[in-house]
Amino acid sequence: MARGRPLQLLEVSRDTREELASLVRSRSLPAGLVRRARIVLLCAEGLDNTTVAARLRVSRQTVGRWRERFRTQGLMGLYDEHRPGRPRTIPDDSVMTLLRKTLETRSPDGSTHWTCRAMAEVIGLSKSTVQRIWTAFSIQPHRQKHFQLSTDPFFVETVRDIVGLHLHPPDHAMVLRVDGKNRTQALERTQPLLPLGLGYVEGVTHDYLRHGTTTLFAALDIATGRVLAQCRPRHRHQEFPGFLRHIDANVPPNLDIHLVVDNYGTHKHARVKRWLAARPRCHLHFIPAYSSWLNQVEIRFRIITQKAIRRGSFASVTQLKAKIRRFTDPCNPGARTPPTPSSTRSRDYARLFPGHNTRA
């Protein structure tokens, strides 16, 4: 014979049952909410609290609480209520004083920025409290973010010219982003590298031997992602025209050449201007001052630095050049197929990059 008060019938509509089943199937919702939805669905089948508790491995009181919450509040009753917690012990005035002093003053010891301990001594709070307030308001006095505004008076017009070359390149022309990576050092570590292993990273000595430098000239074609590169001793007006001649010799003669370069003095030298005047198909486009981000060959330089140079050890400049050459090989399989492969321009790409097979 059953004892205690009889359970009230738990009525669940068809739509509500579907929503509860959706909660149960979810893999992203909190586990507690999913468990409560299971409790309600089992109770809706007519099972008593003891049976549901045994099946879900929870206490009978837990089943009874969520059964009653759902009966009185519906689906919203299954969600956690707001818990106010302990009242704040730091008044708003103290928080505002801390923020104002952080943003508007300097540390009294002459430091360039505030530290948690220095601010805690001045403001009369604990170091942990200062850190929590700074974190809550996303204040990081110890960090800096670098920026550089262009001073070019024709910045807008120049950017439109460069972006126009990217979005709408001229017909029967090749657009190349050209720059040089200056004074790349061939550094040899004084001791062999320790290999990567389980539980520890690759080991490298702090000191090194210098074996000279080289300058990498590169011309990047955005249409294919391929690079035409050449290493030279320095980046002067004597070497830059030599790289331009290298480009001119490799680009098919029926194509114009548009070169995007920065405002480095070498690129504007009289010798370079004379060379360009003798070759009408070559055109220089200068990016605005302090806007190297517009020249996408800088991205390739960063990739070469990270993957080939920074963690390498080179006993000579020759080894360094060989390593760089593997990352600037025109047969790089990571490059994209050029657009309009059936056109004459595709065959011109094949002539410039003989290792690439274009489709007929």
Side-chain angles (χ1 to χ4, degrees):
M1 181 176 179
R3 292 181 295 178
R5 293 179 297 176
L7 292 174
Q8 296 187 16
L9 181 63
L10 192 64
E11 297 181 358
V12 180
S13 65
R14 180 177 179 180
D15 293 341
T16 303
R17 189 182 295 272
E18 291 179 356
E19 293 186 26
L20 289 171
S22 177
L23 295 177
V24 171
R25 292 192 300 268
S26 174
R27 295 185 177 182
S28 58
L29 292 175
L33 179 60
V34 174
R35 186 185 304 113
R36 297 162 200 167
R38 287 199 180 101
I39 291 174
V40 174
L41 284 176
L42 292 178
C43 292
E45 296 177 2
L47 301 179
D48 57 32
N49 292 354
T50 303
T51 304
V52 174
R55 183 171 299 184
L56 299 181
R57 297 182 179 181
V58 296
S59 66
R60 188 165 57 86
Q61 291 78 8
T62 299
V63 177
R65 179 170 65 254
W66 293 112
R67 176 198 285 266
E68 183 64 18
R69 283 273 294 271
F70 179 81
R71 190 185 65 81
T72 57
Q73 303 180 29
L75 278 175
M76 296 305 299
L78 300 183
Y79 292 88
D80 289 324
E81 297 179 346
H82 176 68
R83 301 177 181 179
R86 191 184 69 172
R88 289 194 297 115
T89 58
I90 304 175
D92 293 341
D93 292 343
S94 299
V95 175
M96 292 302 299
T97 302
L98 170 61
L99 296 178
R100 187 178 299 110
K101 186 173 289 293
T102 303
L103 299 177
E104 299 178 0
T105 64
R106 296 285 185 178
S107 178
D109 61 359
S111 301
T112 57
H113 61 277
W114 284 100
T115 63
C116 293
R117 289 179 174 82
M119 179 60 71
E121 293 178 0
V122 173
I123 207 71
L125 300 174
S126 68
K127 166 187 169 297
S128 301
T129 300
V130 173
Q131 180 63 51
R132 285 196 300 269
I133 295 176
W134 281 355
T135 302
F137 288 91
S138 300
I139 296 178
Q140 300 175 333
H142 64 288
R143 295 188 60 189
Q144 281 186 331
K145 183 177 181 180
H146 296 271
F147 73 96
Q148 181 66 59
L149 300 179
S150 177
T151 58
D152 194 327
F154 301 101
F155 177 80
V156 176
E157 293 79 3
T158 308
V159 169
R160 285 177 178 173
D161 177 43
I162 301 301
V163 174
L165 287 174
H166 285 72
L167 298 180
H168 304 287
D171 295 331
H172 306 292
M174 181 175 293
V175 181
L176 301 175
R177 287 73 178 169
V178 178
D179 202 358
K181 180 176 174 58
N182 298 332
R183 302 186 63 81
T184 303
Q185 299 188 76
L187 304 179
E188 181 185 13
R189 301 295 169 177
T190 57
Q191 298 178 16
L193 302 180
L194 299 180
L196 175 70
L198 298 178
Y200 54 90
V201 299
E202 181 184 60
V204 60
T205 59
H206 297 283
D207 53 342
Y208 47 79
L209 301 176
R210 302 177 188 268
H211 295 291
T213 63
T214 185
T215 294
L216 170 64
F217 288 96
L220 171 66
D221 185 3
I222 297 298
T224 63
R226 302 186 182 276
V227 176
L228 188 65
Q230 192 178 57
C231 288
R232 289 180 171 269
R234 298 174 65 181
H235 190 174
R236 302 173 300 173
H237 67 273
Q238 292 92 335
E239 287 81 11
F240 185 62
F243 181 61
L244 294 181
R245 287 192 293 269
H246 181 62
I247 296 176
D248 184 52
N250 284 274
V251 174
N254 62 321
L255 293 180
D256 288 342
I257 306 175
H258 292 263
L259 305 173
V260 178
V261 298
D262 58 20
N263 291 271
Y264 191 54
T266 298
H267 303 159
K268 300 180 179 181
H269 194 271
R271 184 174 178 179
V272 176
K273 293 180 179 179
R274 288 194 299 268
W275 186 90
L276 292 172
R279 291 163 180 81
R281 74 166 183 153
C282 297
H283 309 274
L284 283 188
H285 300 263
F286 292 96
I287 63 176
Y290 306 118
S291 302
S292 59
W293 48 270
L294 276 174
N295 198 340
Q296 296 190 3
V297 74
E298 297 286 351
I299 300 176
R300 183 56 62 93
F301 287 153
R302 177 177 59 84
I303 294 174
I304 294 174
T305 300
Q306 291 180 345
K307 294 186 176 182
I309 301 176
R310 180 171 297 166
R311 294 173 59 177
S313 181
F314 310 100
S316 64
V317 176
T318 302
Q319 289 186 5
L320 174 61
K321 291 180 179 179
K323 186 70 172 181
I324 293 175
R325 193 176 299 114
R326 284 196 289 269
F327 277 82
T328 57
D329 191 346
C331 303
N332 181 3
R336 296 190 297 112
T337 302
T340 62
S342 60
S343 65
T344 304
R345 188 184 182 198
S346 177
R347 293 193 296 272
D348 293 332
Y349 275 109
R351 292 176 59 188
L352 177 60
F353 305 111
H356 174 68
N357 296 324
T358 56
R359 294 174 292 178

